């Protein structure tokens, strides 16, 4: 039993790590565009902002299980298969990008306008303001967003297991539900709870270090 659980835990961590990394990188791009083109941004553009905001909202509206099924052709084209932990990374990433993009946008736009104006008065360029003011001031808030993303992805990865994605969710379904083994269900639940608590504790520790 424990060998099976250990392997599933490793698969879950593998899925969550790579989907977090890819979604943070790819989600940062629309977050920057949304921040720049917002009404209070450095380059206000209502049309660009509204279109991109609409796209982000549309993808955020899809339940993960439905999204996972819809993008099966994309998953197959990228990974070559629709089953397994590598295949599950694709829908996990697609689902996470609009979420983290909106979180990053909110974090960036909460930057004190006074600090931005002070940077302008010293002759800072838009690029310098973006990275030395917006980004620097938002790092703690963005970190909280990443912690929340990881916690959500842990839950999504469990759902991915129900559709052949592997990991803790797969074990809970195959051994716990289909074979009526309460022991597997309990152990899988405890592992997910421990993962979430560890992520939150580490995130809180880093946040305190950044804000002290």
């Amino acid at each position: 039993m424990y060998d099976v659980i250990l392997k599933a835990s490793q698969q879950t961590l593998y899925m969550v790590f790579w989907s977090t990394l890819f979604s943070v990188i790819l989600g940062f791009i629309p977050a920057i565009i949304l921040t720049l083109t917002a009404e209070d941004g450095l380059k206000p553009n209502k049309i660009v902002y509204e279109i991109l905001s609409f796209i982000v909202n549309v993808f955020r509206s899809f339940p993960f299980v439905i999204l996972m099924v819809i993008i099966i052709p994309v998953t197959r084209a990228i990974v070559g298969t629709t089953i397994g932990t590598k295949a599950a990374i694709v829908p996990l990433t697609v689902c996470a990008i609009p979420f983290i993009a909106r979180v990053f946008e909110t974090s960036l736009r909460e930057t004190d306008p006074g600090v931005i104006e002070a940077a302008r008065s010293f002759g800072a360029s838009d690029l310098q303001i973006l990275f030395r003011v917006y980004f620097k001031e938002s790092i703690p808030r963005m970190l909280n967003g990443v912690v929340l993303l990881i916690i959500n992805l842990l839950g999504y990865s469990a759902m991915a297991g129900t559709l052949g994605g592997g990991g803790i969710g797969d074990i809970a379904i195959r051994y716990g539900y289909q074979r009526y083994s309460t022991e597997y269900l309990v152990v899988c639940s405890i592992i997910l709870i421990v993962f979430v608590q560890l992520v939150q504790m580490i995130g809180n520790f880093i946040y305190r270090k950044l804000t002290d």
Side-chain angles (χ1 to χ4, degrees):
M1 171 184 177
Y2 293 104
D3 289 340
V4 174
I5 294 292
L6 178 60
K7 182 179 179 181
S9 299
Q10 292 171 343
Q11 291 174 338
T12 294
L13 293 176
Y14 178 84
M15 287 188 288
V16 171
F17 173 80
W18 287 109
S19 57
T20 299
L21 179 63
F22 292 143
S23 61
V24 166
I25 294 173
L26 297 175
F28 192 64
I29 298 171
I32 289 178
I33 297 174
L34 287 168
T35 302
L36 292 176
T37 58
E39 185 178 357
D40 56 347
L42 299 176
K43 298 289 185 180
N45 189 317
K46 186 175 181 180
I47 295 176
V48 173
Y49 181 84
E50 292 297 336
I51 291 175
L52 184 55
S53 181
F54 175 77
I55 294 172
V56 169
N57 289 337
V58 167
F59 277 93
R60 285 187 65 188
S61 301
F62 279 100
F64 175 69
V65 174
I66 296 177
L67 181 65
M68 191 172 182
V69 174
I70 290 176
I71 66 169
I72 280 178
V74 178
T75 302
R76 184 179 290 111
I78 295 175
V79 185
T81 180
T82 59
I83 299 175
T85 52
K86 289 184 178 180
I89 292 173
V90 176
L92 284 171
T93 301
V94 171
C95 180
I97 287 174
F99 172 83
I100 198 63
R102 189 63 80 185
V103 169
F104 281 174
E105 179 207 356
T106 302
S107 299
L108 291 167
R109 292 182 64 183
E110 286 179 358
T111 301
D112 185 356
V115 179
I116 298 172
E117 288 303 319
R120 282 186 185 278
S121 66
F122 283 106
S125 65
D126 289 343
L127 192 63
Q128 289 175 324
I129 292 175
L130 178 63
F131 286 100
R132 295 185 181 180
V133 179
Y134 273 106
F135 183 70
K136 185 177 180 180
E137 293 289 322
S138 303
I139 287 178
R141 296 190 295 270
M142 294 172 73
L143 171 65
N144 281 338
V146 173
V147 170
L148 184 59
L149 171 68
I150 294 173
I151 292 173
N152 285 340
L153 284 174
L154 281 168
Y156 290 150
S157 69
M159 284 190 279
T162 65
L163 295 177
I168 295 296
D170 178 48
I171 297 303
I173 291 297
R174 287 197 294 118
Y175 290 86
Y177 177 72
Q178 295 177 351
R179 300 185 185 182
Y180 304 102
S181 176
T182 305
E183 185 178 9
Y184 274 99
L185 287 174
V186 171
V187 172
C188 288
S189 298
I190 291 175
I191 289 175
L192 287 175
I193 292 172
V194 170
F195 282 167
V196 168
Q197 293 300 320
L198 285 175
V199 170
Q200 190 65 65
M201 287 172 58
I202 294 171
N204 290 342
F205 175 77
I206 298 175
Y207 179 82
R208 287 195 297 269
K209 290 294 183 180
L210 290 174
T211 54
D212 284 344

